[in-house]
Amino acid sequence: MAENIYDNGNGGQKTVLTLSEFIIKRQEDFPYAKGELSRLLNSIGLAAKIVNREVNKAGLVDILGEHGTTNIQGETQKKLDVFANEQFIDAIRYRGECCAIASEENDDLIIFDEALAKKAQYVICMDPLDGSSNIDVNVSIGTIFSIYRRKSVDCMPTIDDLLQPGTEQVAAGYVVYGTSTMMVITTGNGVNGFTLDPSIGEFCLSHPNMKIPRTGPIYSINQGYFHDFVDGVKSYVNYCQMHDKPTRRPYALRYIGSLVADFHRNMIKGGIYIYPTTSDSPKGKLRLLYECNPLAFIAEQAGGKASDGYKRIMELKPESLHQREPLFIGSYDMVAKAEEFLQVYKDMEAGIVIP
Ligand code: AHM
Ligand code: MG
């Protein structure tokens, strides 16, 4: 038993620290906090456990396969996509801390009009089950979420409460349903990971103060689209494949096709995940509000970097709920290097001569 024991400072006595206890302890550092954010994170943790229960027995019950509907992106919804969406919305709706949710699975903003929720201070962006193409084949999938304080006061929330840049996030996290189920969160004060202990049904602190290595041995990109990448990305991919001992190249290519799982592996081992623009997806595939921004917050809090290839992801101003952006995320030095490649080609296109 390594890190999932917590030194409580009582003369070397060590104990398991659950997610709820961790959140309460953190709240003690903010004596004026009313505990709303803590309750919200707990609600998300509860919904994650329910989704985990269904994911774990998915092959045994009638929950695999298509739901028969499509979302606003025109993507076919899986039964588990729809189930996870309902679980997260229900867990959050009736507790009174959140007044609106933007979800990958809902075209429009979901506004809670329950009396309790109207007064709530927080809004959430979420992808309830990311990695849909992996659901039916027993490969890791995830949940991604981001929490903001609403901007509007004393009225029903509006879309502008959700269209805030990532720099305004007060908390973000993801759940990876993998070999074990983990929830990783930040409230802007570092990153902590909790592994679900199925025997007690609790997320327990297993990865305190997570840091992403400054560089790493892995690059993750769907190389099948290589011929559709812009020249800067092609050139960076070639760089990843070249032999160079000091920088540990060639890097290994690892691509699960579930953003959360690819990101989580790279967080631990060091690496870069890229979903660039392609000729078919000129804005990239991933959604700014509930895929790019939350993971960018976590990456930065862990010492990493997240970019659209040129600019910091968290500084982009969202214009619509389901806006897509290219994403370069992971180890700081690797993302910075990829940006260098893109900039060289941008400068060449602009006619700036490189010495
Ligand atoms: P989804 O939200 O519909 O599951 O799409 C997002 C997923 C990411 O998890 C993953 O990294 C990417 O799409 C894979 O896309 P592709 O198959 O084009 O490589
Ligand atoms: Mg997704």
Side-chain angles (χ1 to χ4, degrees), residues 75 104-105 127-132 144 259 286-287 290-291:
E75 298 157 345
E104 176 175 333
E105 303 305 334
D127 181 352
L129 212 55
D130 183 65
S132 301
I144 315 173
L259 170 62
L286 301 174
R287 276 56 54 116
Y290 43 81
E291 291 173 326

Side-chain angles (χ1 to χ4, degrees), residues 42-53 83-84 87-92 177 203:
N42 267 321
S43 306
I44 293 171
L46 173 64
K49 284 190 229 173
I50 296 172
V51 171
N52 174 69
R53 188 186 63 199
F83 175 83
Q87 291 308 315
F88 279 98
I89 292 171
D90 284 352
I92 294 161
Y177 310 94
F203 282 106

Side-chain angles (χ1 to χ4, degrees), residues 94 105 118 203 215 218 235-236 248 250 277:
Y94 297 109
E105 303 305 334
K118 267 188 204 159
F203 282 106
T215 187
I218 295 169
S235 183
Y236 178 70
R248 293 156 75 191
T277 59

Side-chain angles (χ1 to χ4, degrees), residues 11-291:
Q13 186 78 30
K14 294 197 171 179
T15 182
V16 170
L17 189 72
T18 67
L19 173 65
S20 316
E21 290 170 320
F22 177 89
I23 291 170
I24 291 166
K25 267 193 128 353
R26 275 287 158 99
Q27 203 193 316
E28 285 165 6
D29 299 339
F30 301 96
Y32 301 110
K34 289 191 234 136
E36 289 168 319
L37 183 60
S38 307
R39 288 198 296 275
L40 200 47
L41 287 168
N42 267 321
S43 306
I44 293 171
L46 173 64
K49 284 190 229 173
I50 296 172
V51 171
N52 174 69
R53 188 186 63 199
E54 296 306 306
V55 166
N56 269 333
K57 60 180 184 196
L60 301 171
V61 293
D62 180 29
I63 200 153
L64 291 180
E66 290 173 6
H67 186 259
T69 46
T70 51
N71 65 16
I72 192 166
Q73 280 101 178
E75 298 157 345
T76 308
Q77 290 176 303
K78 305 275 182 180
K79 287 181 195 162
L80 262 177
D81 279 329
V82 174
F83 175 83
N85 195 37
E86 286 167 0
Q87 291 308 315
F88 279 98
I89 292 171
D90 284 352
I92 294 161
R93 177 191 287 270
Y94 297 109
R95 290 173 198 260
E97 291 92 24
C98 170
C99 55
I101 295 183
S103 165
E104 176 175 333
E105 303 305 334
N106 295 85
D107 305 359
D108 299 320
L109 185 60
I110 303 162
I111 295 180
F112 298 153
D113 53 6
E114 286 78 8
L116 254 183
K118 267 188 204 159
K119 298 197 190 103
Q121 292 308 308
Y122 292 101
V123 295
I124 294 183
C125 304
M126 67 168 184
D127 181 352
L129 212 55
D130 183 65
S132 301
S133 64
N134 283 324
I135 289 177
D136 291 348
V137 290
N138 218 345
V139 174
S140 297
I141 46 182
T143 295
I144 315 173
F145 64 89
S146 174
I147 302 176
Y148 294 82
R149 201 164 277 115
R150 68 186 287 190
K151 294 280 177 205
S152 56
V153 190
D154 287 340
C155 59
M156 293 298 276
T158 70
I159 193 166
D160 288 336
D161 289 314
L162 280 291
L163 298 182
Q164 300 187 47
T167 46
E168 298 297 309
Q169 291 173 97
V170 293
Y174 63 83
V175 184
V176 57
Y177 310 94
T179 42
S180 58
T181 293
M182 259 192 88
M183 181 157 164
V184 175
I185 56 169
T186 182
T187 51
N189 188 14
V191 178
N192 288 282
F194 302 81
T195 300
L196 182 63
D197 181 340
S199 64
I200 56 170
E202 294 280 5
F203 282 106
C204 301
L205 183 64
S206 54
H207 295 61
N209 197 19
M210 292 173 83
K211 292 284 172 216
I212 182 165
R214 189 92 191 169
T215 187
I218 295 169
Y219 75 111
S220 309
I221 189 168
N222 189 335
Q223 213 153 288
Y225 306 145
F226 185 84
H227 295 289
D228 298 331
F229 297 158
V230 295
D231 288 340
V233 174
K234 281 183 184 161
S235 183
Y236 178 70
V237 168
N238 284 331
Y239 165 89
C240 292
Q241 297 170 348
M242 277 170 198
H243 282 266
D244 180 58
K245 273 217 171 104
T247 52
R248 293 156 75 191
R249 285 179 289 144
Y251 301 142
L253 169 61
R254 295 281 181 273
Y255 191 73
I256 296 169
S258 285
L259 170 62
V260 171
D262 278 313
F263 176 79
H264 181 69
R265 182 205 50 243
N266 292 355
M267 269 274 285
I268 291 180
K269 294 192 165 182
I272 182 170
Y273 171 98
I274 303 175
Y275 206 112
T277 59
T278 63
S279 22
D280 279 350
S281 309
K283 293 284 289 172
K285 177 182 185 189
L286 301 174
R287 276 56 54 116
L288 176 61
L289 288 192
Y290 43 81
E291 291 173 326

